[in-house]
Amino acid sequence: MFIMKTKTVTKFLKNVCLFSLVLVSFQSIGQEEEKKWFDNFSVNGSVDGYFRYNFGAQNDNSTAPATSFANESGFALGMANVILGYEGEKVGFVADLVYGPRGEDAVFLSTGSSQIVNQLYAYWNVTETFKLTFGNFNTYLGYEVISPTGNFNYSTSYMFSYGPFSHTGLKADFAINDKWSAMVAVMNPTDYTENNPFDTYIFGAQVGYSADNGTAFLNFRYGNEGEPGEVGPTFQVDLTTGWDLSEKFYLGVNATYLTTEDQGDADAAGFYGVALYPQFKATEKFSIGLRGEYFAEFENGVGALVTDADGDGSVVAATLTGSYDIGNLTLKPELRLDSASEDTFADNDNPVEFNKSLSSFVLGAIYKF
């Protein structure tokens, strides 16, 4: 009788232990699934603003370098940027929303509710080496980007400002091996992100190389940017590269050439340029960097510069920027000198007269979350 009772108790304890293990396993699986579910989502973004002042020139909105975003006088707003993302094992999406003057400039061809959409795309990792992306994505050309968190300098270059901002279409990325990559794309005319009003398309391509201390990308785009009969095909080739020369020194380089054929007898028009981005990390919190850019347009190019009688013009722009981190806040004091080949910038004493150079100061404040 005692033996039977002992067997019964033992069997009962075994069943309890087995049930407890199963329950704990289900709870662990549920917790892992719940954790994995939330980990796949991300929310990040930034808020920025700036102060701008010209030396020896009019301090109004009409006197500023002909580049994007940091062109307002006095204290001015940048944008609020919220990026929602989901990254699954095979599929995911990005919804990048912007609001404010910088965001408005970035999506300047958008209308209606799309005026707050900077990027909106879904992707499919078909294999470990092949990825498809469909929707609206920021351009793959150039060194600089729309978000101020992605640039060392607060103001932007001429090459960035007159290159494409965003595309809508389908692109395919290929990982050839650990170092080499490639991309091909078919897209709407540049910056027509909501739809295609022209029934013409742009083709893009990229070859990339990545190493432990840097990357290099050779980018292309080709196609008709407007209605057939009004403009000819546009071709752009762009080199973007950056390398860590040491633990403290970094050097970035961007070079680009763009030409648009004329449908008549006129010569092709376009622009070209090169920029160097040396940077020095003085401490964990403070870095200093220089952007030295040469930009020129021919046959009246894209209207970025005042040109001579032949439609040619150029500018040299030197921008010295400091970057100081205070937690998630980054302050960027910046001195910039633009020197053009033609009289471009309004004189301080006589606004109807123009000078070839403009010096200015910008203090940017960027909070990243």
Side-chain angles (χ1 to χ4, degrees):
M1 195 171 194
F2 177 77
I3 294 174
M4 183 178 293
K5 185 175 181 181
T6 301
K7 287 182 177 180
T8 303
V9 171
T10 302
K11 186 176 181 181
F12 174 76
L13 290 174
K14 287 182 178 179
N15 290 335
V16 169
C17 291
L18 181 60
F19 177 78
S20 299
L21 287 173
V22 172
L23 182 62
V24 169
S25 299
F26 275 119
Q27 289 178 340
S28 299
I29 293 172
Q31 289 174 354
E32 289 177 1
E33 290 180 348
E34 183 179 15
K35 184 178 180 181
K36 183 179 179 182
W37 175 259
F38 286 108
D39 281 349
N40 286 346
F41 282 95
S42 63
V43 180
N44 57 79
S46 64
V47 174
D48 70 290
Y50 63 95
F51 172 80
R52 173 182 168 75
Y53 183 81
N54 293 327
F55 300 103
Q58 297 289 317
N59 273 291
D60 55 34
N61 295 340
S62 64
T63 306
T67 57
S68 299
F69 307 146
N71 296 332
E72 306 295 328
S73 299
F75 293 98
L77 302 179
M79 70 181 186
N81 183 201
V82 177
I83 305 172
L84 309 175
Y86 174 82
E87 185 176 0
E89 182 178 352
K90 285 286 188 178
V91 298
F93 74 84
V94 168
D96 182 348
L97 308 177
V98 294
Y99 188 78
R102 187 183 183 110
E104 183 179 352
D105 289 346
V107 296
F108 61 94
L109 291 180
S110 298
T111 59
S113 60
S114 296
Q115 285 183 332
I116 66 169
V117 175
N118 182 33
Q119 299 185 94
L120 190 64
Y121 62 83
Y123 61 85
W124 173 25
N125 296 313
V126 183
T127 68
E128 292 183 355
T129 59
F130 177 41
K131 177 182 178 181
L132 290 173
T133 302
F134 185 90
N136 169 210
F137 42 86
N138 288 161
T139 188
Y140 56 93
L141 294 103
Y143 183 90
E144 299 175 23
V145 295
I146 291 172
S147 171
T149 63
N151 299 328
F152 187 87
N153 308 99
Y154 187 78
S155 67
T156 53
S157 67
Y158 287 87
M159 286 186 291
F160 166 78
S161 301
Y162 292 91
F165 280 177
S166 298
H167 310 280
T168 291
L170 175 65
K171 67 174 181 174
D173 291 279
F174 305 89
I176 300 172
N177 55 38
D178 292 340
K179 293 184 179 294
W180 290 93
S181 64
M183 183 276 293
V184 292
V186 57
M187 304 165 292
N188 287 346
T190 300
D191 294 323
Y192 284 91
T193 55
E194 295 181 37
N195 54 43
N196 186 342
F198 302 122
D199 194 26
T200 61
Y201 292 90
I202 302 298
F203 297 96
Q206 179 187 81
V207 177
Y209 176 81
S210 299
D212 292 338
N213 63 330
T215 59
F217 296 96
L218 186 60
N219 309 300
F220 303 90
R221 70 178 171 115
Y222 177 82
N224 195 310
E225 296 282 10
E227 295 183 29
E230 291 191 2
V231 295
T234 292
F235 170 75
Q236 184 175 9
V237 57
D238 177 274
L239 173 66
T240 303
T241 183
W243 301 92
D244 293 317
L245 304 182
S246 70
E247 291 185 357
K248 292 184 177 293
F249 287 96
Y250 168 88
L251 177 63
V253 181
N254 185 204
T256 197
Y257 175 85
L258 179 147
T259 181
T260 300
E261 297 179 13
D262 187 81
Q263 294 289 68
D265 297 329
D267 294 332
F271 64 81
Y272 56 91
V274 62
L276 301 179
Y277 299 81
Q279 296 163 18
F280 174 70
K281 187 175 182 180
T283 68
E284 287 298 318
K285 294 184 176 182
F286 180 73
S287 299
I288 189 167
L290 175 70
R291 177 181 61 219
E293 179 186 18
Y294 174 80
F295 179 86
E297 56 180 305
F298 52 92
E299 298 297 328
N300 294 310
V302 289
L305 305 173
V306 175
T307 58
D308 60 18
D310 296 325
D312 300 332
S314 64
V315 62
V316 175
T319 306
L320 181 65
T321 305
S323 181
Y324 183 70
D325 295 329
I326 310 170
N328 290 341
L329 176 66
T330 301
L331 300 178
K332 290 184 178 287
E334 185 170 283
L335 290 172
R336 175 167 175 162
L337 175 62
D338 291 67
S339 181
S341 60
E342 306 297 322
D343 292 334
T344 302
F345 307 104
D347 185 78
N348 188 40
D349 297 325
N350 190 345
V352 298
E353 294 184 1
F354 292 84
N355 300 318
K356 292 184 178 181
S357 63
L358 173 69
S359 56
S360 56
F361 170 77
V362 171
L363 174 62
I366 308 162
Y367 186 88
K368 182 180 179 180
F369 59 89

